[in-house]
Amino acid sequence: MRQSHLFYLAFLTTTVVCVPIKTRLEARIENGLASTPPMGWNSYNHYSCHPNETIIKSNAKALVDLGLDKLGYRYVTTDCGWTVADRLTNGSLTWDETLFPNGMPALGDYIHGLGLLFGVYEDAGIETCGTGIPQAGSLYHEQLDAETFAAWGADALKYDNCYSDAATGYPNVAYQPSTSPSARYQNMTNALSNLNREILFQICEWGVDFPALWAPNLGNSWRIGNDISQNWQSVFRIINQAATQTSFAGPGQWPDLDMLEVGNDIFTTPEEQTHFSLWAILKSPLVIGGALKDTYTSISQASLGVLNQPDVIGYNQDPLGKSANLVRRWSDDEYDVWSGPLSENRTVVALVNWAHTARTLQLDLSDVGIQYAATVKNIWAGSEAASVKTSYSASVEPHGTILLEIKGTSPAGYYATDIFATSTNVETIFSDIYAVTDSGEFLLVIDFTQPPSEGSQIDIQVSPSGYSTTIDVPSGSSQASTNISLSAGANNNITISTTGVSSIKITNPPGAYYPSTSFARTGSAILTECGQGYCQPVGSKISYLEPSSSATITIPAKTAGSKYILLDVINNDITYSSTLTNSRNITISVNGGSPVRLEAPLTGRHSELFGPGDGWWDPSTFGVLVPGWEAGNNSVNIGNQGGEGDLQTYAADFVGLRVLD
Ligand SMILES: *[C@@H]1O[C@H](CO)[C@@H](O)[C@H](O)[C@H]1NC(C)=O
Ligand SMILES: *[C@@H]1O[C@H](CO)[C@@H](O)[C@H](O)[C@H]1NC(C)=O
Ligand SMILES: *[C@@H]1O[C@H](CO)[C@@H](O)[C@H](O)[C@H]1NC(C)=O
Ligand SMILES: *[C@@H]1O[C@H](CO)[C@@H](O)[C@H](O)[C@H]1NC(C)=O
Ligand SMILES: *[C@@H]1O[C@H](CO)[C@@H](O)[C@H](O)[C@H]1NC(C)=O
Ligand SMILES: *[C@@H]1O[C@H](CO)[C@@H](O)[C@H](O)[C@H]1NC(C)=O
Ligand SMILES: *[C@@H]1O[C@H](CO)[C@@H](O)[C@H](O)[C@H]1NC(C)=O
Ligand SMILES: *[C@@H]1O[C@H](CO)[C@@H](O)[C@H](O)[C@H]1NC(C)=O
């Protein structure tokens, strides 16, 4: 669909006249379907493949009674279990008359009568997913089924991926079909594009074959991974798979993290807040999977208070349509920082507390590209802070999230005098200066309000590093610069022996890169050359690092302390299990000190499944702060320390690292 959309834009803005092939698809996009992530309710998470007319109607009505429709939840979708084993003699699909005595068209009328939208479910295989009772799938019947759904008044189609190779034995239990799902989904896209009705197309291919590369062209949303399961761990598993697909989100094409479990009494309220916050800021469709109202159940006020939080819904529906990204993972400290841009120069940030304990977490604003914020609104705490410099701290419940909307910002590394400094008659003292690493090679640029009329010398003193230097400022210059020494953290002060300073800018040291090819290896570790253009920027990687093996190197450092390390690592260990997490650990230790662990999410933008090599050749970069460096030579060890026992034996593969020294 996106291709058609782009084509349409090209058509408008150039004089080249061509006939677009997928006319209807363009019309659907131009009609505004899913310009923001779709929102609604779906039967599966609560009722599994056992929906019926009563259930769907009572939940649809509850959407309206609870005011959720007004907040955007409008698609009501009956998931698996609605149809029967066989088609009608004329080939059309039909409904289970016991469960849906009035039939699907009547259900659609009821839903439309409530001012809601009617979602249907089918499968790109021989049978639908289900509970052992065969039900007809849409494979090879795409056009007829699309027409049937249109005739029933459907507004959305969730299209699943069971039984793609054979009708029995659930062939894809390993989620490894013999061919990529893309061609089967393409056929339904084509069928929908021939209709005289706009139907939202929700691709549910379970994340098979790195869907972000193909599904955005075929549907309005695609599943980034396998189903959410009814355990807390599945939130971590899902976002570890979403992490590498976030940049593909945009109007008309949304990464689907799966339906929400909010309201199903699986998660605590802080866990529900984390789940909802992440789904919202990663621009997933927000599809309620809890029972809002039926004979036995009414959603709790606490869960409703999560689902109807207007700011969080606003981040999901923001017109900018850009997803948040994982910007920093503190694996040993058990928290993540996710952040992304919103419209009107706002930034949304989630600090996710993976720990089982309540605590206070600190956000270093520069991790999200910010130095100063006029306001920081803490959504779940219901508080707001003003004039926030450099860092922000707040308390968070076990498994909870500090969700922040940040406004009125200045960029990381920029310190305006009127915000960050106090002046005496003779000097300007900046405080709250942040450093990502211990280094003597931060570039300091000083901007003067008035160029000195004659050449002068100014002294610069830095605490707590104790560094000092003197620089010559030639007459008439409005800027001066020098390297300075800063200490990792948010508490550096810089004193400049003049009053006419308007601002300072600080740039991180570039550091030095150490490719995996320069490391020695022990035990099982092997160096592999990757296919051309892969394992960038090195072209090779070290794999099979385990607790008893390592990759080592001697690295000279100019100063002692804690160094920020950018690790280029590869993890294509995709799981479809409900207990694994799509992650691989990798550790780095210096001079025999305690290892610092990164639990890497999936990396890169390829699938191993239908492109052997590609997935395991495709790195991403993650930053970690590693203590224990000496001035002079350092012995650096990469491995999987602590990975014994039940844990994954192998580390993420290692491509290289940059040391910000
Ligand atoms: C098949 O029969 C059903 C029930 O009469 C009807 O609604 C449907 O349109 C028919 N399909 C075709 C392809 O004629
Ligand atoms: C619909 O499902 C509900 C909840 O499981 C059940 O109580 C009810 O009997 C079902 N109705 C039909 C017609 O199957
Ligand atoms: C897609 O549809 C075409 C035309 O009907 C058919 O030949 C092809 O086998 C279908 N592909 C898949 C993967 O189902
Ligand atoms: C956003 O920031 C840019 C650059 O600072 C500025 O030009 C623009 O006016 C701002 N937009 C809004 C809506 O505040
Ligand atoms: C200043 O730092 C840069 C790297 O940021 C380095 O190349 C340069 O040699 C340093 N200059 C001095 C005088 O130390
Ligand atoms: C930095 O300056 C602040 C006052 O602005 C002071 O409270 C603090 O102790 C100073 N820190 C250091 C490390 O000098
Ligand atoms: C640092 O290690 C290198 C070899 O890796 C060696 O040549 C050099 O002499 C060492 N420097 C010191 C100060 O030990
Ligand atoms: C990574 O290490 C942590 C801490 O030991 C552990 O809880 C986690 O399960 C490990 N992850 C994997 C994939 O082994």
Side-chain angles (χ1 to χ4, degrees), residues 281 315 324 338-342 346-350 368 403-406:
I281 70 174
Y315 307 147
W338 292 74
S339 129
L342 298 172
R346 295 168 302 149
T347 301
V348 66
V349 175
V368 301
L403 184 68
L404 305 173
E405 178 184 327
I406 304 183

Side-chain angles (χ1 to χ4, degrees), residues 88 90 92 144:
L88 297 174
N90 69 10
S92 292
L144 177 57

Side-chain angles (χ1 to χ4, degrees), residues 59-239:
N59 279 286
K61 183 161 181 305
L63 269 185
V64 177
D65 293 346
L66 296 169
L68 291 165
D69 59 334
K70 302 272 187 314
L71 299 171
Y73 296 98
R74 294 185 67 215
Y75 287 98
V76 175
T77 300
T78 307
D79 209 285
C80 50
W82 66 273
T83 183
V84 289
D86 299 313
R87 292 166 176 272
L88 297 174
T89 48
N90 69 10
S92 292
L93 286 169
T94 193
W95 53 87
D96 182 321
E97 288 185 348
T98 314
L99 299 175
F100 294 87
N102 293 298
M104 290 313 250
L107 182 62
D109 289 345
Y110 177 83
I111 289 169
H112 287 149
L114 291 170
L116 302 173
L117 297 161
F118 177 36
V120 296
Y121 165 95
E122 250 298 344
D123 188 283
I126 297 157
E127 291 175 6
T128 71
C129 301
T131 50
I133 310 150
Q135 304 205 334
S138 284
L139 185 63
Y140 307 130
H141 301 273
E142 291 87 356
Q143 192 60 53
L144 177 57
D145 292 354
E147 283 164 13
T148 299
F149 294 142
W152 293 353
D155 304 299
L157 170 62
K158 172 181 170 181
Y159 204 47
D160 217 337
N161 195 26
C162 284
Y163 299 105
S164 62
D165 284 1
T168 56
Y170 200 70
N172 298 328
V173 73
Y175 299 92
Q176 295 192 351
S178 56
T179 55
S180 169
S182 55
R184 288 179 286 112
Y185 283 89
Q186 175 76 64
N187 276 359
M188 183 51 91
T189 302
N190 294 347
L192 293 171
S193 72
N194 292 329
L195 303 173
N196 288 313
R197 187 175 181 87
E198 320 303 340
I199 295 184
L200 181 85
F201 190 30
Q202 299 173 285
I203 294 181
C204 181
E205 76 319 303
W206 316 327
V208 174
D209 192 21
F210 200 73
L213 282 186
W214 54 268
N217 290 336
L218 303 184
N220 298 105
S221 64
W222 73 95
R223 280 278 300 280
I224 58 89
N226 198 16
D227 290 9
I228 192 167
S229 35
Q230 302 207 329
N231 59 40
W232 170 240
Q233 198 150 283
S234 65
V235 171
F236 191 57
R237 164 173 56 86
I238 288 171
I239 63 138

Side-chain angles (χ1 to χ4, degrees), residues 447-453 473 476-478 498 500-502:
D447 278 287
F448 297 110
T449 41
Q450 248 187 325
S453 51
V473 186
S477 33
S478 56
T498 178
V501 176
S502 64

Side-chain angles (χ1 to χ4, degrees), residues 319-336:
L320 193 61
K322 286 201 161 48
S323 170
N325 302 296
L326 175 61
V327 296
R328 192 136 177 204
R329 170 163 285 177
W330 299 83
S331 297
D332 294 315
D333 293 331
E334 297 184 271
Y335 73 99
D336 273 2

Side-chain angles (χ1 to χ4, degrees), residues 55 80 141 151 164 169 171 267 340 351 377 488 490 509-510 520 569 607 633:
I55 286 170
C80 50
H141 301 273
S164 62
F267 297 148
L351 269 86
K377 187 169 164 188
V569 299
S607 159
N633 278 347

